[in-house]
Amino acid sequence: MISAEENAHREFLRELVHAAHPVWRTILAAMREGVLVVDREMTVLVQNPAAAEIFPPPPISSRPLRLIDLTRDPTLHEGFQQALEHGASVESRFELRRGEPRAFQVRIAPLHLASDTPHAALGVFVEITALERLERIRRDFFANLSHELRTPLAAILAYVETLQEIEPDDSEHMRRCLDGLFRQAQRLHALVRDITDLAEIESGAIALSLEVLPLRAFVEDVLALIQPQAEERGIAIVNEVPEAIQVLADPLRLTQILQNLLDNAVKFNRPNGHVWIRARRLGEHLEISIADTGIGIPPADQPRIFERFYRGEKSRSRETGGSGLGLAIVKHLVQLHGGEIHVRSEPGVGSEFTVRLKAVPEPKVAQGAPSTDATK
């Protein structure tokens, strides 16, 4: 004889099958969220395509599919059991470790028919991998930003306290403090400028004004901005860009790109080292490379050097100064031009950054032009 509970369970299944209207199935198939419905025996009653992508079902077998066939994660099993036993909704975080790690927010709710006892539980899986990554980036950004702001501010406060204590006639000591205040104020100014630039670039507020530029002469103008710093460290910069090469770019933004890359090539170089700027045309594109004899970048750091504020243990030491935003700005500006940037580096040997931009279109030769020969 069938118990009342078993009869209710069978009735629930009949209701569920009857509810499987084409519209309902279409809705489930279109959902980005994964949907799983299991009964009290943990048999899978419903698994939409999104859930099947998260939990690929095993090869076809004669027995009904169970939750344990899809996952052995204890958090999910406990969540479904709690919803079925206590009739309460459960929210948890689930991490899929197969292949690239993925994170999901899971809400499991009991499903009731006529009685108070749930006959099944519905689990909805919302992927939050991208949200967690963005939150991690946000936390890192503000942690690094606070550090970058604290360092010059602490120095400014120290100089001000010293100025308050020194005698008015100690002009030499006063001059040193004022010089220190000026340097730290410049550092803060550069940080605020870079943050503003990066925010404008990422928001899409910057519009390019493309011009045809003679690259060699343009590089010479940028080198004039870098030369004092290079001479101070004995760095020789060689412009090997051919005279004939032209580039299609925004002058202001190309200056930012080259200045940031050259600044790094000098800053992370050895005393009396070298920097080379080269360019070559490859079809419809132009490659600009800046190579140095610097300390190089460890392989583990190379994939992340274009992140905001990222610095490696050695190659991006805070002792070198800077905002830590230069390469992030360079990457965004290059992409804004429709280009790409790559780095090739060997620790202890040097680094080479290569920027690929659009070349100036070559003039087309007119087809079937009339001959200028007057001979008949």
Side-chain angles (χ1 to χ4, degrees):
M1 185 174 179
I2 300 175
S3 66
E5 184 176 355
E6 289 176 345
N7 188 57
H9 185 212
R10 290 185 178 182
E11 181 64 27
F12 173 79
L13 292 177
R14 283 195 293 271
E15 291 275 351
L16 191 65
V17 172
H18 178 72
H21 187 276
V23 174
W24 187 77
R25 291 197 298 269
T26 301
I27 292 172
L28 281 178
M31 290 178 65
R32 293 181 178 180
E33 298 80 8
V35 175
L36 278 181
V37 178
V38 302
D39 64 10
R40 298 187 66 83
E41 283 71 41
M42 293 295 172
T43 300
V44 177
L45 305 178
V46 175
Q47 182 184 26
N48 75 337
E53 190 272 330
I54 301 170
F55 307 107
I60 298 175
S61 63
S62 57
R63 64 181 180 82
L65 187 66
R66 295 172 57 82
L67 183 62
I68 199 170
D69 297 323
L70 302 180
T71 176
R72 296 180 180 271
D73 186 274
T75 304
L76 289 182
H77 283 265
E78 290 171 8
F80 277 103
Q81 287 173 353
Q82 184 173 341
L84 289 165
E85 292 175 6
H86 304 290
S89 296
V90 178
E91 288 194 12
S92 64
R93 179 185 178 279
F94 165 68
E95 187 167 327
L96 186 65
R97 299 183 182 275
R98 184 184 67 249
E100 192 74 20
R102 298 168 64 187
F104 296 85
Q105 184 73 31
V106 186
R107 180 175 176 82
I108 303 172
L111 295 178
H112 300 269
L113 285 178
S115 65
D116 293 334
T117 303
H119 294 84
L122 166 71
V124 179
F125 297 77
V126 180
E127 185 162 6
I128 56 173
T129 307
L131 289 175
E132 289 194 348
R133 180 177 178 275
L134 288 173
E135 176 61 20
R136 187 164 56 250
I137 291 173
R138 186 192 67 83
R139 287 197 306 267
D140 292 345
F141 174 80
F142 283 107
N144 286 318
L145 178 60
S146 64
H147 178 94
E148 296 294 338
L149 289 171
R150 277 199 308 269
T151 302
L153 283 174
I156 288 172
L157 289 172
Y159 283 124
V160 170
E161 289 176 359
T162 304
L163 283 172
Q164 290 174 331
E165 295 174 359
I166 63 177
E167 296 296 330
D169 58 349
D170 191 351
S171 59
E172 183 180 350
H173 199 176
M174 187 176 296
R175 171 57 58 186
R176 286 200 300 269
C177 288
L178 290 173
D179 289 342
L181 281 172
F182 180 71
R183 288 195 304 272
Q184 297 303 325
Q186 282 185 315
R187 185 173 177 179
L188 276 177
H189 175 73
L191 177 60
V192 172
R193 181 197 62 212
D194 286 348
I195 291 173
T196 303
D197 284 348
L198 189 60
E200 289 179 351
I201 294 167
E202 290 183 338
S203 68
I206 290 181
L208 297 182
S209 179
L210 300 179
E211 297 180 20
V212 176
L213 305 170
L215 186 58
R216 182 178 177 86
F218 192 88
V219 168
E220 287 295 333
D221 291 340
V222 177
L223 289 181
L225 305 173
I226 303 294
Q227 204 62 45
Q229 178 186 346
E231 290 176 355
E232 185 179 341
R233 301 196 62 220
I235 307 297
I237 306 180
V238 184
N239 183 358
E240 296 184 351
V241 176
E243 288 281 359
I245 286 187
Q246 294 180 313
V247 63
L248 188 64
D250 182 303
L252 175 61
R253 303 309 171 184
L254 183 58
T255 298
Q256 283 184 275
I257 292 169
L258 295 178
Q259 189 173 358
N260 273 299
L261 292 177
L262 286 166
D263 180 70
N264 279 353
V266 171
K267 186 187 302 179
F268 298 106
N269 214 318
R270 299 186 183 89
N272 303 314
H274 287 77
V275 175
W276 296 271
I277 307 99
R278 305 182 177 101
R280 61 174 180 166
R281 181 161 188 149
L282 296 174
E284 297 179 352
H285 293 91
L286 183 70
E287 280 192 353
I288 305 170
S289 66
I290 296 177
D292 62 61
T293 56
I295 58 178
I297 306 168
D301 293 326
Q302 292 179 26
R304 300 191 60 190
I305 60 172
F306 295 104
E307 295 179 12
R308 293 174 292 183
F309 289 117
Y310 184 78
R311 287 186 174 99
E313 290 290 332
K314 298 177 181 177
S315 64
R316 292 294 180 267
S317 169
R318 294 189 187 276
E319 296 176 2
T320 58
S323 68
L325 296 173
L327 288 179
I329 291 173
V330 167
K331 179 182 178 182
H332 283 290
L333 288 176
V334 170
Q335 291 177 340
L336 196 61
H337 279 80
E340 300 174 345
I341 182 168
H342 303 284
V343 63
R344 184 169 57 86
S345 184
E346 184 178 346
V349 176
S351 304
E352 182 177 15
F353 286 81
T354 301
V355 175
R356 175 175 283 199
L357 300 175
K358 293 179 181 178
V360 177
E362 294 180 342
K364 295 181 179 180
V365 178
Q367 299 293 325
S371 173
T372 57
D373 189 355
T375 303
K376 297 295 183 181

